[in-house]
Amino acid sequence: MNTTDLPAIQYTVWPADLHGHRFEVKLHIANPDPKGQIVQMPAWIPGSYLIRDFSKQIEKIEAFTAGSTKKKIALDRIDNDHWQLPPIEGGVEILTTIYAFDNSVRAAYLDTERAFFNATSLCLIVKGQEDLPCSLAITAPETAYSDHWSVQTSLRVVKTDTRGFGFYLAQNYDDLIDHPVAMGEFQVVRWTSNHTAHSMAVQGCLHPIDASRLAADLQAICSCTINLFEPKTKQAPFTSYLFLVNAVLNGYGGLEHRNSTALLCRRDQIPQKNIPLDESSYREFLGLCSHEYFHAWLVKRIQPKAFQPYDLGNRNRTRLLWIFEGFTSYYDDLQLLRSKRIDLSAYLKLLADNWNGVLRGPGRLKQSIADSSFDAWTKYYQADENTPNAVVSYYGKGALIALGLDLQIRTYSKNKKSLDDLMRLIWQKHGVTLDGIAENGLDILIKDLLGDGFSKIWNDFKSRYIFGIEDIPVQKWIASKLISVKPKTQTKLERIKLQLGLRHTETNGWLKVTHVLDGGAAQAAGLAAGDLLASINGQRVTSNRWDKVLGTLSEGQSINLSFYRDDLEHERILVLESAQLPIQFELTAVGSNYK
């Protein structure tokens, strides 16, 4: 490819030091601002609402004149993530060395086994030229480790070798950062959903994956989601889609992109030939795939106006994350049911598990879901020991909001309309057009779909359950002829754990308290996060003995608990009171026509 064919902004990425986990990146700017070009490293990545200060991983940054005779140029650091060049004629090159050892889906990673990066972690923004096309050249590592490496990305290919190393093109910087790149050895699964090519590239599995099962399940899920938004055309809003999967010993998560997603999961969640598979773990993985795929419509194309454009140096706040993450969380499992990957009984269990999880959180009685969305940057994504007592999840309660609204729409319209119709209206009004939703935009859409009569129901719903802190009365709204709702029958051990009101982890053979919940016996007795549990009624407690020891207790009993805080031993008397139990529900199918 001739250099004259390249755009004015060019990035080149080298996996330079696999043992030291360092990428080297060259940014070529053909036409820098004559007043002094400013460049910026993003502070966060879209889809993950936390200031991460990616600039902290830059170990070295230098600037030079472009051309055969390179001269070093002063590069002044303005603040944490901005640098400025002096006024200069002609092109410039900025060379950076960036440390990359974050194995999540949000940043960059490099070792002798694999490489992965989001451009937000490696590629500087050329301020004032963000809307210009840019190229990305990906170079293979010069080491024997990488002889069998290839590249997987959804970026537009310009000119590459058979392994995918070479030149790619992005429409602008926003497009560049929306296509993660993975390098290494992959097992690739391919299928077609509604005439659209899809693939999944998996790293980390120790055995051959069951490609036929993955392809069949993912084909059904993807087709089902395309048909939800486009029941007439049955067309996806992209020409191809890529699932990038990093399978590890322990890990779970995903990050959505326009035409792809980066996923992190446990190896035992992937079906592999001749290896026993835990079906519930596999279902969880399919739910993750369904969730991130749904985001290709809801978040990547249907967006809050607050995200247009993204300000990658500052927090973009919106009170609508309960729609974008909550509704997606409602549909991810519903699409598994509709695509016949799970049956109704399994779906209702997932629904009840989420409902009960929300009800167990004291924070739901303090924070509205609208405020949870707005405060995501400082509360939800910066969780601490008090988070369960102060924060409600816009994922979990957002999914209940979607369920409740779906049920209310079905009741009001006598089952002529559902939340599906609202999603399709949102898609046509704000997804196809890419016109962001204003903070009150859902009000207009609901009125357009259902009229003034439902607007009154919606305003009350919104006031009580979205901007208020009332629990959503799902049990009152579910059609009893189809689904039975009743209080969950809990074992004595489950009741004891709820009454105790603490969460813990294992640390060096000790049970370490991570959270003490409001209203529980542990809080009443003065336990705190960080305490090391020693014994209950004289019986040593460990992770292996926890259930056994709790099983010897009775409701209403006073117990003696010994623990250590700052290496000092303490004893407390706890009283287990059944009145403190949060309400829990179970759902069972009565009919078989739930859709």
Side-chain angles (χ1 to χ4, degrees), residues 51-180:
I51 297 296
R52 299 185 183 275
D53 291 320
F54 294 122
S55 62
K56 68 185 178 184
Q57 304 299 353
I58 295 177
E59 294 186 345
K60 186 177 181 180
I61 182 167
E62 296 178 305
F64 301 86
T65 57
S68 56
T69 305
K70 298 184 185 300
K71 295 181 180 180
K72 192 170 183 178
I73 309 169
L75 187 62
D76 294 329
R77 191 164 192 170
I78 301 173
D79 57 25
N80 188 60
D81 42 31
H82 290 79
W83 292 260
Q84 185 166 19
L85 291 161
I88 189 172
E89 293 184 2
V92 298
E93 292 179 351
I94 299 176
L95 301 180
T96 54
T97 301
I98 300 172
Y99 180 74
F101 204 58
D102 183 333
N103 204 26
S104 73
V105 297
R106 300 177 295 267
Y109 182 88
L110 178 63
D111 69 3
T112 57
E113 300 296 323
R114 64 183 290 267
F116 173 84
F117 68 87
N118 292 284
T120 42
S121 293
L122 301 186
C123 299
L124 295 163
I125 303 169
V126 182
K127 299 297 288 183
Q129 301 188 41
E130 299 96 324
D131 294 333
L132 297 181
C134 54
S135 66
L136 174 66
I138 303 173
T139 304
E142 296 179 357
T143 171
Y145 291 124
S146 64
D147 286 348
H148 301 289
W149 280 26
S150 62
V151 177
Q152 291 286 340
T153 182
S154 55
L155 266 170
R156 175 187 166 192
V157 176
V158 177
K159 184 178 181 181
T160 64
D161 63 19
T162 55
R163 295 191 294 159
F165 293 100
F167 289 94
Y168 296 83
L169 188 66
Q171 297 176 7
N172 48 41
Y173 187 82
D174 181 63
D175 186 31
L176 176 72
I177 67 174
D178 216 10
H179 300 271

Side-chain angles (χ1 to χ4, degrees), residues 9 16 46 164 237 287 294 325 328 356 380 442 492 501 535:
I9 299 173
F294 200 88
E325 292 295 351
T328 302
N356 291 329
Y380 188 83
L442 198 59
K492 186 186 78 168
S535 65

Side-chain angles (χ1 to χ4, degrees), residues 257-383:
H257 298 278
R258 283 190 185 95
N259 304 347
S260 64
T261 181
L263 305 177
L264 181 69
C265 71
R266 300 192 316 274
R267 293 187 186 97
D268 62 10
Q269 292 184 288
I270 303 291
Q272 301 171 63
K273 293 183 178 179
N274 302 318
I275 300 295
L277 178 66
D278 183 334
E279 293 294 335
S280 64
S281 294
Y282 178 51
R283 187 228 57 82
E284 185 180 29
F285 173 71
L286 290 179
L288 177 64
C289 295
S290 177
H291 184 100
E292 301 304 335
Y293 189 71
F294 200 88
H295 274 320
W297 286 262
L298 189 63
V299 167
K300 298 315 300 182
R301 289 170 174 84
I302 306 167
Q303 294 184 322
K305 274 196 181 297
F307 289 178
Q308 295 181 333
Y310 292 115
D311 180 353
L312 296 178
N314 297 289
R315 301 178 178 103
N316 288 177
R317 295 187 184 274
T318 175
R319 287 186 167 83
L320 299 180
L321 291 181
W322 57 270
I323 297 177
F324 292 92
E325 292 295 351
F327 281 32
T328 302
S329 296
Y330 173 60
Y331 274 103
D332 57 20
D333 288 332
L334 185 56
Q335 295 301 85
L336 297 187
L337 173 66
R338 288 172 167 175
S339 62
K340 299 182 181 179
R341 301 306 99 184
I342 60 175
D343 60 21
L344 181 56
S345 177
Y347 171 69
L348 292 178
K349 184 180 185 307
L350 293 171
L351 205 61
D353 287 347
N354 178 63
W355 186 13
N356 291 329
V358 173
L359 292 175
R360 285 195 297 269
R364 80 188 198 283
L365 303 175
K366 298 178 183 178
Q367 185 189 48
S368 73
I369 197 170
D371 286 343
S372 177
S373 299
F374 193 81
D375 293 335
W377 298 83
T378 53
K379 290 190 176 182
Y380 188 83
Y381 270 89
Q382 296 191 61

Side-chain angles (χ1 to χ4, degrees), residues 376-398:
W377 298 83
T378 53
K379 290 190 176 182
Y380 188 83
Y381 270 89
Q382 296 191 61
D384 59 24
E385 69 281 354
N386 194 49
T387 294
N389 295 324
V391 174
V392 64
S393 168
Y394 52 78
Y395 285 84
K397 189 173 181 180

